[in-house]
Amino acid sequence: MSKVILVAPLAGWSTPLDEAPDAVFAGRMLGDGVALDPTGATLCAPCDGELIAVPVSKHSMTLRTRDGAEILLHVGIDTVGLAGEGFELHARQGQHVRAGDRLLSFDLDLLARRAKSLLTPVIVMDGGGFTVSRRNLNREVNVGDFLMELMPVASVAGTADGVDPAGEGAAKAVSRRLLIRLEHGIHARPAALLVAALKGFTAEVRIVARGREASARSTVTLMTLGVRKGDEIEIRAAGPDADAAVDALEGALLRAAAQGGDPAPPGSRAPLERRAPVELRNPPAQRNSVSDLRVPRPKDVNTLPGVVASRGLAIGYALQFSRPQVTAPEAGAGVSHENSELDRARILVKSRLERAAASGSTAARDIIGAHLALLDDPELVGGARTAIASGKSAGYAWGQVIRSSVSALRALEDARMAERVDDLLDLEAQILGELSGDSGASPRELPEKTILIANELLPSQLVALDARRLAGICMAAGGPTSHVAILAAAMGVPALVAMGPAALAVPAGTPVVLDAEEGVLRIDPDRGQMEAASNELAKRLQRRAAEQVAAQRECRTADGVRIEVFANIGSVVRYPYRSGDLKARGKAEVIVRDVPHSVQRGHIMRDIVFSRAMWRVSYRGGP
């Protein structure tokens, strides 16, 4: 592979990717690149290649070069919501284009009025084997001007800064042993943090633990090591920047441990306090899965016990929910076609996850970040491409590598790793859904006061539900530290898990009381039980209302000093609480901003007004 030169696809001002008002792009979750603030309204090809993804919303295009570099051109931020309005295509998916060819045009004025930002990221996608070695920043560019130089990852170590591939630097090897202090070991999110820490490094890095070895650039293979708290790992790196890469991994582990590694869900108590004692079929060290959790059976046949995953109380009506089963044909329709289909599905799922991350809570963004890392995992993508090359369809190949990884995680006999299986199955279902044309991305209509009952829920299924009508969740299987449990707690939805198959026999429409404090589901409760639950709910609402009223009074210390809290939270959408929730936590004035990272924090705290990017919200009575 040789280097790739990208020219400016759009007239405008080139700026660092950090300035994009979107955490996914600014955080380089998809890959490195440059952002363009457009002055022109025609998007052109930045290099020769094939258009492998053109969504129906027309707001973006992905181009693959002959050597496999994948370039995402994303016009504006949050423009997918325009559903194609203001865009006109000049090229179609599957078409081969040359640098400078027109791809699409757009209504600059319409986007300026209705999009979150006009900044247009030009992204070199992770996993394509190329890294940005040079870029043209902080200046005006015209279509066709030099924008970026890309180098093959394998050759960067041998060519950057004049280093000879056969010289001493390229052969440098480093080894370091570390003790893992993460409370729950290296599971999905810590693994994703380690993979992210290696972005920008060219060294080959592997981790050895428990008699196994894995690439430090693969979330999946890191999880299959089964590393637990107290285990010793060895980091092995080779390449010119091996020392720095090992330092980056050690730093990521130290930061994760200092932050608690994997904080408990917002609605939980640590450790999970259950008034109903829980018995384990096997001691914790030998427990095979979270389904081995058992709780004592109450004498009342209309009461089902469960393990508390998200605390709270809910009254509603049972609704049984099951996963749709999507199957893919084994035989493919050609290697090129199936690879393109896999890429298309991955890009669509990635786009949906990015939108969910942009508007989700902190817990949701953490979980989605782990899913994004899995989507680009080199072991998963590489394994699927190998299967496609042998004649399999994209769906069959993706399912094959997912199931192989699932088997490896289940073989660890680690309850927490067993819960991460759902993350892989979730991605399998999402990719298969996109390939079949039934993504299930639209929120599912629910009756009012729904108590959802399922064997297990996937994170994407939960976030696709109408949260306004979802009163509670009961799962026959699942565990209290699963990602669905964490999401439910962040949403404030009471949830019980590990309830057993009896939960699946509750008829739809049956009145139920979900008590996720006691850890029980009361089926068709009598009048006394229903009144008691209703009274308790009313008391909680009254207490909440009283707290909100009290929060309007000034906060002062015992000696009369007033307390004011200022918070720089990025945007109202990203703050996980409603304004009433914030009021209940104390009177505050919140400065909300969407400004370049180069603006100094002190400027913000002094309330300087910026022309387009800053406003003040006071929770004394609205904006």
Side-chain angles (χ1 to χ4, degrees):
M1 293 192 296
S2 58
K3 69 180 180 181
V4 175
I5 298 296
L6 301 184
V7 298
L10 192 64
W13 185 266
S14 69
T15 188
L17 203 55
D18 309 75
E19 303 295 354
D22 185 288
V24 172
F25 293 121
R28 292 170 172 76
M29 293 184 185
L30 301 179
D32 199 4
V34 169
L36 295 174
D37 199 349
T39 56
T42 301
L43 184 75
C44 300
C47 60
D48 297 351
E50 177 190 359
L51 290 175
I52 62 172
V54 181
V56 293
S57 53
K58 308 175 188 175
H59 71 292
S60 70
M61 288 187 167
T62 304
L63 182 149
R64 183 193 289 139
T65 70
R66 181 184 59 185
D67 290 326
E70 295 182 0
I71 316 300
L72 170 66
L73 309 171
H74 196 287
V75 180
I77 304 297
D78 287 353
T79 45
V80 65
L82 296 176
E85 184 180 358
F87 292 93
E88 180 183 358
L89 294 178
H90 305 303
R92 65 184 185 279
Q93 185 169 318
Q95 182 176 334
H96 288 269
V97 296
R98 297 185 67 83
D101 286 355
R102 292 200 311 161
L103 302 180
L104 64 82
S105 53
F106 52 92
D107 187 331
L108 193 61
D109 291 336
L110 184 144
L111 265 63
R113 292 194 307 270
R114 297 178 56 184
K116 180 178 179 180
S117 172
L118 286 170
L119 274 183
T120 296
V122 180
I123 305 294
V124 181
M125 303 287 280
D126 285 341
F130 284 81
T131 186
V132 179
S133 57
R134 194 160 53 96
R135 67 195 88 202
N136 188 15
L137 292 176
N138 300 317
R139 66 189 64 194
E140 185 178 6
V141 294
N142 294 310
V143 173
D145 288 350
F146 170 77
L147 188 66
M148 285 184 280
E149 179 185 74
L150 314 183
M151 295 293 290
V153 171
S155 66
V156 169
T159 59
D161 299 325
V163 177
D164 183 350
E168 181 181 349
K172 184 173 184 179
V174 176
S175 175
R176 190 175 305 172
R177 293 181 178 274
L178 297 174
L179 188 67
I180 296 300
R181 302 187 183 279
L182 295 167
E183 186 63 32
H184 302 293
I186 299 179
H187 54 93
R189 276 167 285 166
L193 289 174
L194 293 179
V195 171
L198 286 178
K199 285 188 176 181
F201 296 100
T202 62
E204 173 69 21
V205 187
R206 302 189 69 79
I207 292 179
V208 181
R210 304 175 71 88
R212 291 185 287 267
E213 184 175 340
S215 168
R217 298 185 185 275
S218 168
T219 303
V220 171
T221 56
L222 285 176
M223 287 193 296
T224 59
L225 289 177
V227 177
R228 302 174 183 175
K229 182 179 180 180
D231 285 352
E232 184 182 71
I233 67 170
E234 181 183 2
I235 304 174
R236 298 174 179 172
D241 55 2
D243 275 317
V246 173
D247 288 342
L249 283 185
E250 183 175 9
L253 287 169
L254 289 174
R255 286 191 298 275
Q259 295 167 4
D262 187 24
S268 67
R269 300 172 190 166
L272 283 168
E273 300 170 9
R274 305 186 186 92
R275 298 181 188 178
V278 177
E279 296 178 355
L280 300 182
R281 184 177 300 168
N282 299 314
Q286 286 83 37
R287 185 156 55 90
N288 293 326
S289 72
V290 293
S291 62
D292 287 337
L293 277 172
R294 295 193 302 177
V295 291
R297 190 61 129 174
K299 295 180 181 179
D300 184 353
V301 294
N302 289 331
T303 299
L304 294 179
V307 176
V308 174
S310 174
R311 295 187 174 275
L313 180 67
I315 300 173
Y317 301 91
L319 177 66
Q320 294 287 345
F321 179 90
S322 59
R323 296 181 187 174
Q325 297 297 319
V326 180
T327 56
E330 181 174 354
V335 174
S336 178
H337 172 77
E338 297 300 338
N339 274 322
S340 294
E341 280 295 282
L342 178 62
D343 291 334
R344 178 185 65 83
R346 287 173 56 228
I347 289 168
L348 290 172
V349 171
K350 189 176 296 183
S351 178
R352 187 167 65 246
L353 290 174
E354 290 161 11
R355 295 196 300 273
S359 60
S361 65
T362 300
R365 289 199 300 274
D366 288 345
I367 292 167
I368 290 169
H371 282 202
L372 285 169
L374 289 172
L375 263 181
D376 285 330
D377 190 279
E379 298 292 331
L380 293 181
V381 176
R385 295 206 192 283
T386 299
I388 288 172
S390 70
K392 307 302 183 186
S393 71
Y396 187 89
W398 184 255
Q400 193 175 52
V401 295
I402 289 289
R403 296 293 168 158
S404 175
S405 298
V406 164
S407 298
L409 287 178
R410 284 177 171 159
L412 295 175
E413 299 187 352
D414 182 303
R416 194 170 188 84
M417 290 301 162
E419 288 179 349
R420 298 292 78 83
V421 162
D422 274 352
D423 296 319
L424 291 168
L425 295 178
D426 198 346
L427 285 179
E428 178 190 28
Q430 291 184 72
I431 292 292
L432 290 180
E434 293 293 353
L435 289 170
S436 67
D438 182 17
S439 66
S442 301
R444 171 170 170 167
E445 290 288 335
L446 296 177
E448 293 284 350
K449 299 181 180 179
T450 291
I451 305 293
L452 197 72
I453 303 176
N455 183 53
E456 285 187 286
L457 269 179
L458 299 176
S460 65
Q461 291 172 332
L462 175 55
V463 299
L465 296 173
D466 186 348
R468 297 168 300 177
R469 300 187 172 197
L470 181 63
I473 299 170
C474 295
M475 291 194 288
T481 58
S482 68
H483 281 168
V484 164
I486 294 171
L487 286 174
M491 295 166 63
V493 176
L496 296 178
V497 298
M499 298 184 69
L504 303 178
V506 178
T510 303
V512 292
V513 172
L514 172 58
D515 189 339
E517 299 288 344
E518 294 285 350
V520 294
L521 177 71
R522 305 189 195 283
I523 303 166
D524 198 11
D526 59 34
R527 178 176 298 179
Q529 291 172 325
M530 188 66 80
E531 286 180 354
S534 297
N535 291 338
E536 178 60 27
L537 270 179
K539 288 179 182 177
R540 294 185 184 193
L541 290 174
Q542 291 173 357
R543 183 165 62 246
R544 181 179 180 81
E547 289 172 348
Q548 291 179 344
V549 170
Q552 301 308 301
R553 296 194 294 270
E554 289 187 352
C555 299
R556 294 185 179 273
T557 61
D559 58 356
V561 177
R562 185 182 175 192
I563 301 172
E564 292 183 281
V565 179
F566 293 89
N568 178 23
I569 60 176
S571 74
V572 174
V573 172
R574 292 184 188 177
Y575 192 70
Y577 303 108
R578 298 179 297 274
S579 60
D581 294 319
L582 185 59
K583 289 178 183 178
R585 286 161 173 76
K587 191 168 187 176
E589 288 185 350
V590 181
I591 295 172
V592 184
R593 72 181 181 99
D594 176 13
V595 297
H597 295 289
S598 56
V599 176
Q600 295 179 7
R601 182 179 299 274
H603 291 172
I604 295 167
M605 302 312 290
R606 286 198 297 273
D607 242 346
I608 292 178
V609 178
F610 294 86
S611 60
R612 69 175 178 86
M614 183 173 179
W615 63 98
R616 182 184 178 113
V617 177
S618 171
Y619 283 116
R620 290 196 181 98

